[in-house]
């Protein structure tokens, strides 16, 4: 591996013009394909094999005229003060509102609340159901303006009017501020790390090229592969972060090789052969973790995982080819200004060279080496402190509550949340989460009435509507309104009771199948799907990554401690998410309008992404230790060497990745805000506590045993030579520090 990548790096360095042109062609070609591609499809959510999905598919098939995919809005109207909405004056105002809504663009029909009896028991509140001819994503600005305009005129008349449903515009949207903030902070960190504008700009440029190609490819293939516009959210987040980190690692290694006296082409070759090998294997762990989301069997997660994995693959290719090509254009300018003098102008005389060598020998250990020395002297205390600290941060995760986003969890000032609260107050808490029961039978109307009678007797049911049948009378629908709210655990218990009752009712009636669906039922099915997939997912991802790391480090204990460290960091990060987004700690600081349950998809997302990123830092840091150990250093010396060369780079990479993820916290989209915070916290915990603290402490305690590998297994595993041992034996690359004879210009 190292030999192949070394040759690839040398080729890219020498044929830099060709390599840059090819990447630019790929960038602009992908952009052109994206600009000419058909519009991406609307967001869809499906869970194959679940009862909720079966019910939805049945309704789509048997009630095609119902326009289940059409947008809808539920406009809630309340009379002011103690007035009755049924008074002649207020009733006339509601009827004018209904007429205004019916005249709005793209509206199919408006249900008059006084005709459908959508009036609360206290006669103060009504709601009008508005259905549209188009999907929510296809509604025009005129349609939205028509809805809001009708509501404003009713408010001017003295009524309290709010609306919910997918036809109502959501204030939360991606503004792009997160990416800009992340890039800005990354630029500052890179500049401080490298002391060179050129060196700082290379990772940013290459990361944007890689992300641009990845996102453009997703957009271009959107209509073909069914990739919605939100599919690229994770790809943007991960691709930008790893793209910067991978380029940073190779540029840093190139600079250190130049400082060791390598000729510039040899330095680029060695940088790609050693650091590039670490990048390839680190990227593979991220790709495995993201692609493994496919085992969850939720198409939305599968698409997001695979597209993000593809973007990471592009980032790896950019790092091992485009970065050395750019180094070829500025082989000296990537160095800090104070270090450039010895590589420009006249070559050093023998006397000047001896003085330079003496100064280098007297140079003090850098911060990374000093930190490693501190940990190596106190491994037990450091290990206990780190584990206890992460354990304390993980405590809130024991109270984790999962939920799907709904109008009840929106900010209190939004019209959707106000409409939700008005309906709950006037019609009961379960009105916002009705359950749909579908009945298939030869005589569906007769079977549905029996089912309706059976369901009315179930504890926790507030009301059951009369059955609605399709024209062929082989499918009927019954709506059940729970007595409790959608997020109440008693409603979940009710769904299970209804399904148990439905199973028994099938045997007593002529019904072929009875299915219970609805918002709460979908949440139960989704949670069960995630629970069932969690262990297989962990086994697949951790198992493959364990084998990969064992191949890289030729050790059993190093991959084991890497996996255990990941469990600590992800648990602590989930604890931080619960404390902020569920409990409301520091909610104002992070812009959390409404604390509530954590998004159901977040834990498995975090497990996949954080595992991949954790292995990034493990490979970056430990590969340099392994390299020193293979070349003859003692275990403690190998740890110090790894931190001397890799500590600063890993710290900078972690700060950059944290800043990229933290930038998404300022977005209004709740899911993006939550996942950005969770990933930022996980990177901080994993990089600075696990990899930079616990890892050297464990190495100090294990000594040579850290690199233990059974002999029979050592013979079976292929030698991928990530540490570049073969490269130092190649005649074209000197292994020691030669006299200054390369005259670099750039």
């Amino acid at each position: 591996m190292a030999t192949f990548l070394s040759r690839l790096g040398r080729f890219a360095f020498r044929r830099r013009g060709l390599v840059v042109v090819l990447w630019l062609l790929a960038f602009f070609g992908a952009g052109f394909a994206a600009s000419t591609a058909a519009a991406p499809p609307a967001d869809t959510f499906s869970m194959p094999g679940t009862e909720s999905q079966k019910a939805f598919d049945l309704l789509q098939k048997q009630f095609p005229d119902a326009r289940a995919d059409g947008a809808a809005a539920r406009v809630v109207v309340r009379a002011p003060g103690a007035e009755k909405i049924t008074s002649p004056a207020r009733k006339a105002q509601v009827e004018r509102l209904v007429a205004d809504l019916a005249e709005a663009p793209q509206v199919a029909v408006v249900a008059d609340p006084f005709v459908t009896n959508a009036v609360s028991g206290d006669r103060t509140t009504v709601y009008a159901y508005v259905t549209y001819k188009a999907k929510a994503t296809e509604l025009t600005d005129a349609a939205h303006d028509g809805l809001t305009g009708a509501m404003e005129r009713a408010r001017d008349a003295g009524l309290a009017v709010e609306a919910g449903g997918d036809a109502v515009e959501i204030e939360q949207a991606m503004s792009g501020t997160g990416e800009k903030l992340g890039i800005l902070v990354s630029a500052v960190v890179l500049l401080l790390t490298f002391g060179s504008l050129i060196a700082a700009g290379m990772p940013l440029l290459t990361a944007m090229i890689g992300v641009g190609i990845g996102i453009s490819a997703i957009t271009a293939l959107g209509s073909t592969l069914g990739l919605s516009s939100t599919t690229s959210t994770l790809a943007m987040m991960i691709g930008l972060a790893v793209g910067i980190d991978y380029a940073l690692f190779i540029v840093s290694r190139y600079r250190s090789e130049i400082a060791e006296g390598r000729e510039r082409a040899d330095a680029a070759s060695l940088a790609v052969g050693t650091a590039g090998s670490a990048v390839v294997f680190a990227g593979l762990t991220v790709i495995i973790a993201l692609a493994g989301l496919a085992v969850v069997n939720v198409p939305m997660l599968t698409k997001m995982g695979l597209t993000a994995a593809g973007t990471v693959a592009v980032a790896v290719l950019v790092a091992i080819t485009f970065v050395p090509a750019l180094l070829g254009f500025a082989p000296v300018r990537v160095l800090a200004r104070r270090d450039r003098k010895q590589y420009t102008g006249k070559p050093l005389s023998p006397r000047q060279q001896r003085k330079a060598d003496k100064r280098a020998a007297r140079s003090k250990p850098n911060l990374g080496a000093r930190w490693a020395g501190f940990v190596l002297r106190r491994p037990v205390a450091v290990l206990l402190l780190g584990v206890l600290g992460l354990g304390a941060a993980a405590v809130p995760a024991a109270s984790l509550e999962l939920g799907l986003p709904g109008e009840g969890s929106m900010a209190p000032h939004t019209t959707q949340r106000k409409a939700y609260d008005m309906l709950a107050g006037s019609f009961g808490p379960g009105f916002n989460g009705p359950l749909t029961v579908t009945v298939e039978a030869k005589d569906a109307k007769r079977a549905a009435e029996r089912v309706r009678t059976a369901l009315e007797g179930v504890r926790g049911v507030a009301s059951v509507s009369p059955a609605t049948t399709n024209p062929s009378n082989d499918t009927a629908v019954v709506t059940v309104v729970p007595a409790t709210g959608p997020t109440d655990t008693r409603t979940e218990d009710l769904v299970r009771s209804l399904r148990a009752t439905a199973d028994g009712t099938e045997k007593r009636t002529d019904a072929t199948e009875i299915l219970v669906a609805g918002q709460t039922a979908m949440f139960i099915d989704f949670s069960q799907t995630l629970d069932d997939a969690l262990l297989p997912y962990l086994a697949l991802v951790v198992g493959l990554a364990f084998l990969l790391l064992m191949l890289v480090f030729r050790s059993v204990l190093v991959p084991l401690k890497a996996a255990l460290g990941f469990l600590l960091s992800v648990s602590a990060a989930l604890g931080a998410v619960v404390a902020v987004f569920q409990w409301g700690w520091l909610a104002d600081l992070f812009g959390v309008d409404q604390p509530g349950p954590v998004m159901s998809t977040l834990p498995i997302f975090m497990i996949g992404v954080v595992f991949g990123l954790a292995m990034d830092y493990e490979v970056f840091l430990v590969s340099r230790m392994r390299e020193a150990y293979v070349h003859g250093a003692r275990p403690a010396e190998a740890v110090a060497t790894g931190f001397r060369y890799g500590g600063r780079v890993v710290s900078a990479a972690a700060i950059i990745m944290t800043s990229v993820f933290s930038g998404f916290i300022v977005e209004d989209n709740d899911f993006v805000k939550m996942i950005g915070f969770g990933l930022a916290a996980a990177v901080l915990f994993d990089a600075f506590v696990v990899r930079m603290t616990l890892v050297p402490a464990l190495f100090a305690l294990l000594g040579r045993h850290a690199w233990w590998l059974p002999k029979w297994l050592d013979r079976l595993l292929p030698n991928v030579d990530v540490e570049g041992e073969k490269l130092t034996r190649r005649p074209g690359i000197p292994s020691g520090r030669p006299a200054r004879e390369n005259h670099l210009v750039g």
Side-chain angles (χ1 to χ4, degrees):
M1 173 65 75
T3 303
F4 169 75
L5 291 177
S6 174
R7 291 171 179 166
L8 181 63
R10 185 181 294 272
F11 173 83
F13 187 89
R14 289 179 170 174
R15 301 297 180 90
R16 46 191 173 272
L18 174 63
V19 173
V20 169
V21 168
L22 290 176
W23 275 112
L24 291 179
L25 285 175
F27 177 76
F28 289 111
F32 177 77
S35 64
T36 57
D43 289 319
T44 58
F45 184 81
S46 61
M47 296 176 293
T50 62
E51 184 166 334
S52 296
Q53 188 64 42
K54 289 171 65 178
F56 180 81
D57 294 340
L58 179 64
L59 291 174
Q60 289 278 77
K61 178 182 177 182
Q62 300 295 350
F63 293 85
D65 296 333
R67 291 289 300 178
D69 59 343
R74 191 158 53 179
V75 181
V76 187
V77 187
R78 178 173 288 173
E83 291 186 44
K84 302 295 183 183
I85 198 70
T86 53
S87 66
R90 296 303 181 187
K91 183 177 180 180
Q93 291 174 342
V94 173
E95 289 174 344
R96 281 198 294 274
L97 170 62
V98 171
D100 286 348
L101 292 171
E103 293 175 0
Q106 295 181 284
V107 170
V109 64
V110 181
D112 190 319
F114 299 109
V115 175
T116 59
N117 196 29
V119 184
S120 64
D122 59 4
R123 304 294 176 183
T124 62
T125 309
V126 298
Y127 66 89
Y129 201 76
V130 185
T131 55
Y132 287 79
K133 301 174 183 177
K135 299 177 182 179
T137 54
E138 298 172 353
L139 292 181
T140 62
D141 291 339
H144 291 301
D145 293 341
L147 175 61
T148 55
M151 292 169 60
E152 286 297 333
R153 288 189 289 274
R155 288 170 182 158
D156 293 339
L159 299 174
V161 185
E162 305 295 343
D166 59 355
V168 183
E169 279 191 297
I170 298 178
E171 297 178 8
Q172 299 175 347
M174 290 291 290
S175 64
T177 306
E179 299 97 302
K180 297 173 186 175
L181 285 175
I183 292 173
L184 178 62
V185 176
S186 300
V188 174
V189 174
L190 287 169
L191 186 58
L192 293 175
T193 301
F194 286 137
S196 164
L197 282 173
I198 298 294
M202 278 188 188
L204 292 174
L205 175 62
T206 55
M208 286 188 284
I209 290 288
V211 169
I213 293 173
I215 300 301
S216 296
I218 294 170
T219 304
L221 298 173
S223 59
T224 304
L225 301 180
L227 306 176
S228 67
S229 57
T230 58
T231 303
S232 60
T233 301
L234 185 63
M236 170 76 75
M237 223 182 258
I238 301 300
L240 187 60
V242 301
I244 294 174
D245 281 2
Y246 294 165
L248 165 67
F249 199 51
I250 291 178
V251 172
S252 177
R253 185 58 185 261
Y254 172 84
R255 284 159 51 105
S256 69
E257 294 298 335
I258 287 290
E260 291 292 326
R262 308 284 186 191
E263 195 274 333
R264 54 185 179 178
D266 290 338
S269 176
L270 267 172
V272 178
T274 53
S277 296
V279 165
V280 169
F281 282 98
L284 282 174
T285 59
V286 181
I287 291 170
I288 288 172
L290 292 171
L293 289 170
V295 304
V296 182
N297 198 29
V298 175
M300 180 191 72
L301 295 182
T302 300
K303 292 174 183 177
M304 293 187 76
L306 291 178
T307 52
T311 305
V312 172
V314 173
V316 171
L317 293 175
V318 167
I320 61 177
T321 56
F322 194 35
V323 171
L326 292 181
L327 288 172
F329 285 105
V332 175
R333 294 197 195 104
V334 295
L335 304 176
R337 185 176 295 275
R338 65 179 181 274
D339 298 329
R340 296 178 192 171
K341 294 180 181 179
Q342 59 180 314
Y343 299 103
T344 57
K346 295 181 179 180
L348 297 178
S349 66
R351 183 169 176 270
Q352 291 173 323
Q353 182 66 56
R354 287 194 298 271
K355 287 185 176 181
D357 291 341
K358 289 180 180 179
R359 283 196 301 269
R362 290 196 303 267
S363 62
K364 296 180 180 179
N366 61 15
L367 181 60
R370 293 198 299 272
W371 171 251
F374 172 82
V375 176
L376 290 172
R377 289 191 299 271
R378 303 169 181 83
V380 176
V382 169
L383 185 65
L384 289 176
L385 186 62
V387 171
L388 290 176
L390 290 177
V395 168
S399 303
L400 177 67
E401 295 179 8
L402 300 177
L404 290 175
E407 294 178 348
S409 60
M410 287 187 173
H413 68 271
T414 59
T415 185
Q416 292 95 331
R417 175 61 184 275
K418 292 177 180 178
Y420 181 96
D421 292 340
M422 289 168 66
L423 288 171
S426 297
F427 294 89
F431 193 79
N432 284 296
L435 303 172
T436 302
V437 180
T438 60
V439 181
E440 280 190 287
K442 293 181 179 179
D443 186 353
K445 185 174 183 179
R446 179 182 175 186
E449 287 302 321
R450 292 183 179 180
V451 172
R452 179 172 180 266
T453 302
L455 297 181
E456 284 178 330
V458 177
R459 183 179 179 181
V461 173
S463 63
V464 184
S465 71
T468 301
T469 59
N470 64 341
S472 58
N473 193 33
D474 58 4
T475 306
V477 179
V478 174
T479 301
V480 178
V481 178
T484 50
T487 58
D488 197 308
T489 55
R490 290 173 292 179
T491 307
E492 295 184 25
D493 295 336
L494 174 61
V495 171
R496 296 186 179 93
S497 298
L498 291 176
R499 285 178 170 173
T501 302
D503 291 339
T505 306
E506 285 181 8
K507 301 174 183 177
R508 298 193 303 270
T509 64
D510 297 331
T512 306
E513 188 172 36
I514 303 174
L515 303 172
V516 179
Q519 183 184 44
T520 306
M522 180 183 67
F523 167 65
I524 292 173
D525 291 340
F526 187 56
S527 298
Q528 189 63 49
T529 299
L530 293 179
D531 290 343
D532 293 343
L534 187 58
L535 286 179
Y537 175 69
L538 279 174
L540 174 68
V541 172
V542 177
L544 289 177
F546 185 90
L547 293 175
L548 192 64
L549 292 178
M550 189 164 59
L551 188 68
V552 172
F553 298 123
R554 310 198 71 77
S555 166
V556 173
L557 296 180
V558 170
L560 180 61
K561 70 174 182 55
L564 294 176
F566 150 73
L567 292 177
L568 280 174
S569 57
V570 78
S571 299
L574 281 174
V577 170
V578 169
V580 173
F581 290 89
Q582 184 177 310
W583 292 357
W585 293 4
L586 303 177
D588 293 337
L589 177 63
F590 292 102
V592 181
D593 295 319
Q594 182 64 33
V598 174
M599 205 81 64
S600 299
T601 53
L602 185 69
I604 202 160
F605 256 131
M606 284 188 61
I607 288 172
V609 175
V610 174
F611 183 81
L613 298 181
M615 297 308 104
D616 266 9
Y617 298 124
E618 182 77 11
V619 172
F620 286 172
L621 193 60
V622 181
S623 63
R624 200 65 192 253
M625 298 180 192
R626 171 72 182 174
E627 184 177 339
Y629 180 76
V630 168
H631 292 160
R634 296 194 307 271
E637 291 175 342
V639 172
T641 300
F643 272 82
R644 181 168 65 251
Y645 290 106
R648 187 179 183 183
V649 179
V650 169
S651 298
I655 294 172
I656 288 170
M657 197 168 286
T658 301
S659 68
V660 170
F661 292 144
S662 297
F664 289 90
I665 298 175
V666 304
E667 296 289 353
D668 291 330
N669 186 288
D670 286 339
F671 178 68
V672 174
K673 183 191 294 286
M674 194 178 294
I675 197 171
F677 174 85
L679 293 178
V683 168
L684 282 176
F685 289 139
D686 195 86
F688 292 104
V689 181
V690 175
R691 310 302 155 190
M692 301 286 287
T693 305
L694 301 186
V695 165
L698 284 170
F699 271 112
L701 294 174
L702 293 173
R704 294 186 181 275
H705 298 293
W707 306 108
W708 173 76
L709 184 69
K711 292 183 178 180
W712 63 268
L713 188 57
D714 187 38
R715 290 192 296 268
L716 287 177
L717 293 177
N719 185 5
V720 294
D721 191 27
V722 174
E723 59 276 358
E725 183 181 8
K726 295 178 181 178
L727 295 181
T728 60
R729 298 197 299 263
R730 290 171 57 194
I733 300 179
S735 59
R737 182 183 177 90
R740 251 310 305 253
E741 60 184 19
N742 51 315
H743 185 65
L744 300 184
V745 179

